[in-house]
Amino acid sequence: MSKASSRKWLETAKLPSMIERMAARAPYDADEKRKLHHLTEAAIGGHPKARHNFACFEGQRGMVDRAAKHFIIAAKLGFDWSLESVKELYNAAALRGHQAAIDATKSPQREEAAETAILACNDKSFQLRR
């Protein structure tokens, strides 16, 4: 353990709550399993930043749905970064859904019909009736 990380461990021992200690220690653990353990325990205990960091961890693992749920919980606990993450996630999902719908409606027949309608509107014999 480096001198800086051991100093950080000592500083976290002064924190009043076990949850706060776990949340503060998690980034400084060299062992990934232990880091995840501290992060999970702090998130379960209600620490909003730990919940946000756990959501980031889940997102990196490809578990986007679980990450979104953890971001929502952290946002409900008042963590602003999580609220921004939720906005980004759902905005991206909405844009992907919109693009999929646009792509699904494209077809050669629709494009041909649209061109025919445009040509008919440009024809001099075509007049609007009032």
Side-chain angles (χ1 to χ4, degrees):
M1 188 180 287
S2 72
K3 193 173 188 178
S5 62
S6 63
R7 188 177 326 120
K8 193 66 174 175
W9 272 85
L10 291 174
E11 288 174 13
T12 61
K14 297 175 186 173
L15 293 173
S17 145
M18 182 174 150
I19 294 167
E20 289 176 350
R21 285 195 300 271
M22 287 185 170
R25 287 179 181 168
Y28 299 98
D29 277 328
D31 181 22
E32 286 296 318
K33 285 185 180 180
R34 213 162 112 174
K35 181 187 292 190
L36 183 59
H37 170 74
H38 286 301
L39 205 53
T40 305
E41 290 297 316
I44 290 170
H47 194 275
K49 188 174 182 181
R51 181 70 73 163
H52 175 84
N53 290 341
F54 190 68
C56 293
F57 175 77
E58 291 285 7
Q60 290 170 351
R61 287 180 31 197
M63 311 284 271
V64 179
D65 292 338
R66 286 185 61 154
K69 289 177 185 178
H70 288 296
F71 280 134
I72 290 169
I73 293 169
K76 286 181 180 179
L77 292 172
F79 198 65
D80 293 336
W81 292 357
S82 292
L83 181 61
E84 293 302 317
S85 298
V86 168
K87 288 178 185 177
E88 288 176 21
L89 275 174
Y90 284 104
N91 190 26
L95 289 173
R96 282 193 304 271
H98 176 72
Q99 188 61 46
I102 295 294
D103 292 343
T105 60
K106 288 185 179 178
S107 71
Q109 294 87 3
R110 284 180 185 251
E111 290 175 11
E112 184 179 331
E115 287 177 15
T116 304
I118 291 171
L119 291 176
C121 288
N122 290 337
D123 189 7
K124 290 183 181 180
S125 64
F126 179 77
Q127 293 180 356
L128 290 176
R129 294 184 184 173
R130 293 181 192 218

